[in-house]
Amino acid sequence: MGVEALLGSLSRSFPIDAGNIEVLESPTEFLQCLCNGINHAKRDVTLCALYCGMGEAEEETLWDSIQESKVNIRILFDAQRALRPVERNGPSSVDSILKRLFHSDDKSGEERRIEMHLFHSPLLRGIIHRALPVRIREIVGVQHMKMYVFDDSVLLSGANLSQTYFNNRQDRYILFKNAPELANFVLNVFNEIIKSSYQVIVPALEGGKALNAVSPQELVPQYGMKATTSFVLKRPVYDPVLQPYVFCSDLRARLERIILPKETDEHLYKVAFPHKYRIGHAGFGVDDMRECMSGGMSRVSDTLIFPTFQAGFARVRQDEVLTLGFLRYLAHYARQVDGPMAGELWIATPYMNFSASYEHAFHQIPHNIKMTILTSSMESNGFYQSKGISSNIPHAYSYLEKKLWRKMQKSSQYSNYIQNSRILREFHHENSEFHAKGMYWKPFDRQEPMVLTVGSSNYGRRSLNRDLELQAFIVTRNEGLKSSFEEEWNHLISKSRVVEWEDLMRRKGPYLSRLAGRFLRSFL
């Protein structure tokens, strides 16, 4: 079975009819899909993102749909991003949402159940938590998953719920319709995460009855929050600030039971859930890959979905291990091909900061696979022209981009064909930002399946070690779906241009940004 057996060795698999997969291309389509999903949901809606926005026209359209909905709605955001003031001395996004959903003239929030949860990274604790300014805290680690579930339909993306993602920030969005098994799995993951998150409680609801079942010991001190906030936070069983080690162990144990297949090889289990925090270059070894590829996974559909999860701070490294395994599968596959070219590998990331393990895997891919990396230009980077210290971030990523390409130039393996089989492109489109991420594998043998990923991971160091990430591998042999995915990639490529080595050499950037790119890579 090849790649299907490889991915199925460490991930649950979900067959799906290719006709139930819809590829969205634009931020406008993303907003329309969210609103349609909420408006037509019959049972429940689940929204999981880094943060949300309030006040802009597109954002109000989304919150109108949420407010008018009569179904159960559950929301998960990152605590640091959701609790910080949107504007200086202004309310936080949580305050704005609660005011919108539960204002005095609207009792709809009492007619249905709306839950809001905030995930707090266990890495942000102690003196670091108290010393860092509010806007800087999120560099330590965040809840970065983006998944949106409407009954039995699942929308996976890298996009958040704010005006730029609905307007001019290009991302990727894939909707899986009528997929109850996949939706149930994603919701199970969501349920385990909210068990480890703070719950937002609004005392003003029902005359304060919402607090009746909560003891004072369960409430969280308002770390830097304004005294005028309209809510309180209820602790999970293990507080990530006060009990970080027990918190991580508990989260890891609960996730293991959900995200792994029923029968998992003991050695592979130790690779995906290591006792140390980093797995290095080894990870998913060649022998592991060959053993998995020889496994007997039956094909029940021409399209399979393999969700993967990453929580490096809790030593859950499923996504990293399977991504490395997939890259090594490509290297192994390419060496078996007799023809001059085996296929094309396309990689997109808005922030060029690949981990050392991924860079090592890229270097092992033979030259008969054409590899194109698409990233943001400085002008399309979301931090471009931002204020304060964050204004140096685009230059830092540009420095890392040049550093990676220099390594590939110096590699003797690539010296003769780098211009033909290794291509670097940057997204350039007027008034647009780039936030798309994912991998596409297109083998030239049409009998082989196309493989691509969609989700929240940027393939960077912080994605592997600091943030909560959710990604899905899609393996399809359906020709129509292959064409749809290829059109999606061509849509992104049409807004980009090739970057030559000479272009990178001309870039200097501020000294501070080069310093950040060198010594602060794990936070970028």
Side-chain angles (χ1 to χ4, degrees):
M1 282 296 293
V3 68
E4 292 101 328
L6 171 72
L7 296 173
S9 65
L10 270 177
S11 172
R12 300 279 180 97
S13 62
F14 301 93
I16 187 172
D17 189 298
N20 286 331
I21 297 180
E22 183 178 352
V23 181
L24 311 179
E25 289 191 349
S26 69
T28 302
E29 291 180 33
F30 173 54
L31 175 59
Q32 292 174 347
C33 182
L34 288 171
C35 293
N36 289 337
I38 294 169
N39 294 337
H40 294 96
K42 303 299 183 182
R43 299 192 310 272
D44 48 56
V45 170
T46 300
L47 306 175
C48 176
L50 172 63
Y51 67 97
C52 68
M54 294 287 291
E56 300 293 339
E58 296 88 347
E59 296 164 347
E60 291 302 303
T61 299
L62 174 66
W63 289 106
D64 283 342
S65 295
I66 293 174
Q67 194 164 17
E68 294 169 4
S69 175
K70 300 301 181 182
V71 302
N72 296 330
I73 297 178
R74 297 188 301 168
I75 302 171
L76 173 65
F77 296 131
D78 176 70
Q80 302 309 314
R81 195 64 181 263
L83 293 177
R84 80 181 193 191
V86 177
E87 298 178 356
R88 188 174 183 179
N89 296 323
S92 67
S93 59
V94 175
D95 269 311
S96 299
I97 292 170
L98 295 178
K99 182 178 180 180
R100 172 68 184 268
L101 294 180
F102 300 112
H103 62 77
S104 58
D105 297 330
D106 178 28
K107 302 300 182 181
S108 60
E110 299 177 22
E111 297 171 5
R112 66 192 187 282
R113 188 177 184 185
I114 296 182
E115 291 183 10
M116 184 181 297
H117 301 266
L118 306 177
F119 184 86
H120 190 294
S121 173
L123 298 178
L124 185 61
R125 61 183 188 269
I127 191 172
I128 296 177
H129 185 272
R130 294 189 292 270
L132 285 179
V134 174
R135 289 185 59 85
I136 305 297
R137 288 177 184 172
E138 63 195 68
I139 69 170
V140 177
V142 296
Q143 188 298 111
H144 200 245
M145 300 186 299
K146 286 90 175 185
M147 57 182 180
Y148 311 102
V149 186
F150 320 102
D151 293 341
D152 294 332
S153 296
V154 180
L155 175 61
L156 294 183
S157 177
N160 291 297
L161 304 177
S162 69
Q163 184 264 345
T164 53
Y165 292 95
F166 301 149
N167 187 8
N168 68 332
R169 184 171 290 183
Q170 179 67 57
D171 213 300
R172 295 179 58 234
Y173 335 85
I174 297 183
L175 175 65
F176 305 93
K177 297 177 288 187
N178 301 318
E181 292 182 351
L182 176 63
N184 186 61
F185 171 83
V186 170
L187 290 177
N188 284 339
V189 172
F190 180 89
N191 290 337
E192 297 306 323
I193 298 301
I194 64 174
K195 288 178 184 177
S196 297
S197 302
Y198 296 144
Q199 182 179 357
V200 177
I201 296 178
V202 185
L205 286 182
E206 303 179 11
K209 294 179 182 179
L211 284 177
N212 285 350
V214 182
S215 67
Q217 291 77 20
E218 292 181 289
L219 298 181
V220 180
Q222 295 191 356
Y223 296 111
M225 294 190 296
K226 291 179 174 295
T228 56
T229 52
S230 57
F231 61 91
V232 294
L233 299 179
K234 178 185 175 183
R235 285 191 176 100
V237 175
Y238 300 109
D239 191 294
V241 177
L242 303 179
Q243 303 161 291
Y245 300 107
V246 181
F247 173 92
C248 289
S249 298
D250 174 68
L251 177 61
R252 168 187 163 119
R254 287 186 285 106
L255 287 173
E256 285 179 9
R257 296 193 291 267
I258 295 176
I259 66 177
L260 290 177
K262 293 181 179 179
E263 296 183 2
T264 302
D265 180 82
E266 183 178 355
H267 172 67
L268 296 180
Y269 163 80
K270 291 179 179 179
V271 173
F273 294 84
H275 291 294
K276 56 184 179 180
Y277 282 91
R278 290 175 175 80
I279 63 175
H281 293 169
F284 205 108
V286 175
D287 292 338
D288 299 327
M289 180 193 66
R290 289 175 178 167
E291 179 182 345
C292 294
M293 288 173 63
S294 64
M297 181 180 177
S298 60
R299 187 191 306 169
V300 296
S301 173
D302 63 4
T303 304
L304 293 172
I305 313 299
F306 299 88
T308 58
F309 187 81
Q310 186 83 4
F313 55 83
R315 303 198 301 280
V316 178
R317 315 194 77 90
Q318 181 193 35
D319 181 63
E320 177 185 7
V321 170
L322 280 181
T323 301
L324 286 173
F326 172 64
L327 293 172
R328 285 171 181 162
Y329 158 80
L330 295 185
H332 174 78
Y333 170 83
R335 294 187 182 101
Q336 312 305 313
V337 174
D338 295 330
M341 295 298 291
E344 292 183 86
L345 175 63
W346 306 320
I347 305 168
T349 176
Y351 309 119
M352 181 73 84
N353 184 26
F354 292 116
S355 70
S357 57
Y358 287 161
E359 287 188 9
H360 181 78
F362 294 156
H363 282 285
Q364 302 306 308
I365 295 178
H367 68 274
N368 61 343
I369 290 182
K370 182 179 179 181
M371 186 167 68
T372 300
I373 298 179
L374 173 62
T375 190
S376 58
S377 63
M378 284 202 293
E379 294 78 12
S380 64
N381 188 295
F383 294 97
Y384 184 67
Q385 292 185 336
S386 60
K387 298 179 180 179
I389 192 171
S390 60
S391 63
N392 290 285
I393 292 179
H395 292 282
Y397 284 120
S398 180
Y399 166 80
L400 295 173
E401 181 181 345
K402 181 165 64 174
K403 188 175 180 180
L404 171 64
W405 223 241
R406 182 187 291 117
K407 287 181 181 178
M408 301 189 76
Q409 285 278 16
K410 289 182 178 180
S411 172
S412 59
Q413 185 183 3
Y414 297 138
S415 59
N416 294 327
Y417 57 83
I418 180 71
Q419 294 181 350
N420 297 321
S421 66
R422 298 296 183 265
I423 299 173
L424 175 64
R425 303 185 72 101
E426 288 183 347
F427 186 88
H428 284 270
H429 192 66
E430 186 178 4
N431 298 323
S432 293
E433 298 176 2
F434 184 73
H435 200 254
K437 66 268 296 186
M439 294 187 184
Y440 303 72
W441 161 239
K442 176 189 173 184
F444 289 156
D445 182 355
R446 300 298 293 182
Q447 300 301 315
E448 292 294 319
M450 174 181 278
V451 183
L452 73 152
T453 64
V454 63
S456 62
S457 177
N458 293 312
Y459 307 113
R461 301 192 177 199
R462 67 168 298 141
S463 292
L464 302 190
N465 302 313
R466 296 187 173 279
D467 298 343
L468 272 177
E469 304 283 8
L470 178 68
Q471 186 172 242
F473 283 82
I474 306 171
V475 182
T476 184
R477 299 172 185 270
N478 183 280
E479 294 299 325
L481 193 55
K482 287 181 181 180
S483 298
S484 296
F485 290 143
E486 197 165 348
E487 288 175 8
E488 181 195 22
W489 174 256
N490 290 333
H491 172 72
L492 295 176
I493 285 294
S494 67
K495 299 179 180 181
S496 69
R497 67 187 184 194
V498 175
V499 179
E500 303 292 348
W501 174 246
E502 292 75 15
D503 299 329
L504 294 175
M505 288 298 294
R506 283 193 288 268
R507 299 179 186 174
K508 298 303 179 183
Y511 176 74
L512 183 61
S513 64
R514 299 199 300 273
L515 206 63
R518 178 172 298 180
F519 296 107
L520 300 177
R521 289 189 68 173
S522 65
F523 297 96
L524 295 175

